[in-house]
């Protein structure tokens, strides 16, 4: 099995998986994301406590890429400090936009590296970044005082 097949499998598994696709209890942030060009829609729910992402999930509907990307992202950011999640989102964006291609530099993204080839498919970029963009929007909201 070559690397591309492994990546395809990761994406397929995550797009079908429901383990991150539900509501969480007492979310501190609920943010909607929409990608009109494909019809992907999701709501990101996050519970932050003491600057740690204590729990996270999403609900919504969309294509396999958008759903897989959201599920992979949730796995990655859950339990992490908010600041680290912010850095991961930036790294993911840089990967999808082809700015960072070095495998070693991308290592912190773990399973999300499976989406690397999307950078060569412009039509799917918005699908892949939807959840990460929504995460960034969530963090922007938090920076604006009450
Ligand atoms: Zn899509």
């Amino acid at each position: 099995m070559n690397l591309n097949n492994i990546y395809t499998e990761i994406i397929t598994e995550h797009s079908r998986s429901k383990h991150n696709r539900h509501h969480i209890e007492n979310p501190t942030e609920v943010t909607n994301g929409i990608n009109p060009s494909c019809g992907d829609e999701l709501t990101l729910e996050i519970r932050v406590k003491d600057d740690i992402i204590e729990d996270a999930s999403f609900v919504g509907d969309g294509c396999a890429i958008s759903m897989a990307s959201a599920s992979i992202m949730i796995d990655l950011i859950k339990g992490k400090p908010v600041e680290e999640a912010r850095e991961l989102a930036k790294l993911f964006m840089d990967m999808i936009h082809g700015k960072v291609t070095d495998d070693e530099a991308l290592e912190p993204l773990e399973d999300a590296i499976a989406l690397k080839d999307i950078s060569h498919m412009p039509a799917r970029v918005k699908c892949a970044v939807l959840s990460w963009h929504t995460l960034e929007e969530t963090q922007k909201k938090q920076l604006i005082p009450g």
Side-chain angles (χ1 to χ4, degrees), residues 35 38 40 63 66 124 127:
N35 168 25
C38 175
D40 309 317
C63 68
S66 64
R124 310 316 299 276
C127 304

Side-chain angles (χ1 to χ4, degrees), residues 71-88:
S71 178
I72 290 170
M73 183 190 80
I74 302 277
D75 272 354
L76 198 60
I77 63 169
K78 221 191 285 185
K80 296 242 165 74
V82 170
E83 189 53 42
E84 200 178 328
R86 197 193 312 272
E87 281 164 20
L88 288 167

Side-chain angles (χ1 to χ4, degrees), residues 28-34 42-46 57-59 133-139 141:
T28 53
E29 296 292 337
V30 176
T31 311
N32 294 311
I34 182 161
L42 59 83
T43 303
L44 186 63
E45 299 188 2
I46 289 180
S57 71
F58 75 103
V59 290
H133 182 68
T134 308
L135 176 66
E136 286 187 328
E137 289 298 309
T138 301
Q139 297 186 323
K141 275 198 300 192

